[in-house]
Amino acid sequence: MLTDGFHDIPSGKVAMVVTYLEMRTPHLRGAQLPDGLTFEEMSPNVASYRKLYRRVGDDWLWYGRNLLPDADLVTILDDPGTRYFTFMKDGVPEALLELDFRQEGECELAYFGLTSNLIGTGAGAYLMDRAVEHAFAAPITRLHVHTCTIDSQQALPFYRRSGFTPIMQKIEVAEDPRIYHGYDRALAPHVPIIEPKGDPKA
């Protein structure tokens, strides 16, 4: 249990406040699909998933799925309890929506994001409406998601506008992927790099 006050974060790490949110009844914003986009379900393989995951998430230091071995990622991608959607523009996927139904009676909005090409176009609101529709088309009692303070500053207000209610917060500390996992050190300039003492590979 964390006590009140300040707590040192080890060098070479990133620290984030994670907010968990849920939706118990479907809420639709009635957003329109921007011109030039089609909303499509997809069946990604490991290579196509990793490419899209990086295009959508690199600016926000998404790292979880990139650290999974291929075999573990295949298990998730091939599970009938997971579904994947995107926006196609000029034949290129420009969004990642991943719905996880593997917990009975629930759906997790496991990943939700747009490439930089679509941010600010209104595509996010339309994508969320489709996420809510597909989630509650199944026999679930709640749709849930979490976001954190190294994600876009727009994420938490967006989820709340979309009908999600915050229910819990946690502190997460993890290895900075720019130091330990080969991410470009210019990514996520809003998150400072605190250099580790000594060789980070040691």
Side-chain angles (χ1 to χ4, degrees):
M1 180 69 68
L2 288 177
T3 57
D4 290 350
F6 294 94
H7 301 270
D8 290 340
I9 303 300
S11 58
K13 304 284 188 176
V14 290
M16 60 210 91
V17 178
V18 183
T19 300
Y20 294 78
L21 307 98
E22 69 176 15
M23 182 187 297
R24 291 284 180 171
T25 57
H27 175 90
L28 298 176
R29 298 171 63 176
Q32 300 299 307
L33 179 67
D35 292 342
L37 301 181
T38 58
F39 173 74
E40 300 181 12
E41 189 162 8
M42 59 179 179
S43 299
N45 57 33
V46 167
S48 63
Y49 181 92
R50 289 197 191 280
K51 182 178 180 180
L52 183 57
Y53 183 91
R54 292 293 300 259
R55 289 185 62 227
V56 171
D58 266 9
D59 286 341
W60 318 113
L61 297 185
W62 288 10
Y63 60 87
R65 289 290 166 80
N66 280 329
L67 304 186
L68 285 180
D70 284 356
D72 293 343
L73 182 54
V74 166
T75 297
I76 296 171
L77 296 177
D78 289 349
D79 194 300
T82 57
R83 298 178 67 185
Y84 305 87
F85 302 86
T86 193
F87 287 128
M88 297 298 294
K89 182 177 182 179
D90 300 325
V92 178
E94 298 288 354
L96 176 59
L97 167 59
E98 180 175 337
L99 298 177
D100 186 343
F101 295 92
R102 290 177 294 173
Q103 180 69 38
E104 185 176 357
E106 299 184 354
C107 177
E108 180 183 4
L109 189 59
Y111 286 99
F112 179 97
L114 309 172
T115 67
S116 59
N117 296 330
L118 296 187
I119 291 175
T121 66
Y126 183 90
L127 188 64
M128 181 58 75
D129 275 359
R130 303 292 77 74
V132 171
E133 282 185 342
H134 283 282
F136 282 96
I140 66 168
T141 58
R142 75 174 189 130
L143 172 64
H144 60 102
V145 65
H146 64 268
T147 186
C148 71
T149 48
I150 67 172
D151 203 350
S152 168
Q153 292 185 354
Q154 301 175 38
L156 183 55
F158 172 81
Y159 288 135
R160 297 185 75 173
R161 289 196 305 272
S162 298
F164 287 89
T165 300
I167 57 171
M168 180 175 61
Q169 289 186 312
K170 294 183 179 181
I171 301 294
E172 181 180 2
V173 177
E175 290 182 339
D176 190 327
R178 296 166 297 185
I179 295 173
Y180 292 95
H181 303 296
Y183 278 49
D184 188 331
R185 293 172 74 92
L187 291 171
H190 63 293
V191 182
I193 296 174
I194 307 300
E195 298 291 351
K197 296 179 176 64
D199 183 356
K201 301 297 185 182

